[in-house]
Amino acid sequence: MCDVLSGVLQGSVLGPALFIIYADDICDIIRTEVTVKFVKLFADDTKIYSALSDRMSAECLQACLDAISSWSDHWQLALSPSKCTDLHVAAADKCRVRFSYSVAGQTLPVVKSVTDLGITYNNKLKFGLHIDKIYTKASLRAKLILEYFQKNPQF
């Protein structure tokens, strides 16, 4: 038996509400110089959507990531940099700002698509990859059902 010094008990009825209260001030540390469109908090996921126009705004966004990293260290809430990515949502010819972001000393990979809460989309906000995945899964299941009924004609 040991004392719990930080965190929220997983699986409890109050857990989600307590975690939201615990992590809600993360939005307050975002610098005002960054044009942040959205900050989404869902369970232990945080997403920052920002419009970048120049190198200075990219550097401000990196400062926000550093502040979030410091915040998480302070509150003993470990980040998982290996689960973090950088998705540039723009037409290739319009994306002029090239900047390498890092979290907790690890450079974030720039990806062309991401899966968020089970939905896959690409850097043009198209869902073709997600639809293909669902179609493939459904086709395989339909094939298994058909094979079962062919082998068991009594049904």
Side-chain angles (χ1 to χ4, degrees):
M1 191 75 85
C2 65
D3 293 336
V4 176
L5 302 175
S6 67
V8 174
L9 182 64
Q10 288 186 344
S12 68
V13 175
L14 290 176
L18 291 174
F19 185 83
I20 289 169
I21 292 167
Y22 181 73
D24 186 55
D25 66 336
I26 197 168
C27 297
D28 297 336
I29 63 173
I30 294 177
R31 294 173 51 168
T32 56
E33 298 88 24
V34 177
T35 306
V36 173
K37 298 295 183 186
F38 299 105
V39 175
K40 288 186 179 179
L41 299 172
F42 180 79
D44 62 349
D45 263 356
T46 301
K47 297 188 183 24
I48 300 174
Y49 301 87
S50 179
L52 303 179
S53 57
D54 56 15
R55 183 156 180 87
M56 186 170 183
S57 58
E59 289 171 357
C60 287
L61 182 57
Q62 178 60 56
C64 287
L65 294 175
D66 294 339
I68 290 170
S69 185
S70 296
W71 176 90
S72 68
D73 289 343
H74 174 76
W75 292 108
Q76 301 173 13
L77 190 62
L79 294 177
S80 297
S82 62
K83 295 180 180 180
C84 299
T85 57
D86 178 9
L87 179 71
H88 298 259
V89 179
D93 57 334
K94 292 184 181 181
C95 189
R96 295 182 187 103
V97 179
R98 297 284 182 218
F99 193 85
S100 293
Y101 297 99
S102 63
V103 171
Q106 291 188 25
T107 302
L108 301 182
V110 177
V111 296
K112 293 186 179 192
S113 66
V114 67
T115 300
D116 181 24
L117 300 175
I119 308 294
T120 304
Y121 54 92
N122 66 14
N123 57 355
K124 295 188 184 344
L125 297 179
K126 302 289 183 184
F127 299 93
L129 293 171
H130 184 73
I131 294 167
D132 291 345
K133 189 166 80 173
I134 290 173
Y135 174 79
T136 301
K137 240 180 176 177
S139 294
L140 289 173
R141 288 184 181 162
K143 183 180 175 185
L144 286 173
I145 292 169
L146 180 63
E147 285 177 9
Y148 178 81
F149 282 116
Q150 286 175 341
K151 290 179 182 176
N152 299 294
Q154 69 271 18
F155 290 105

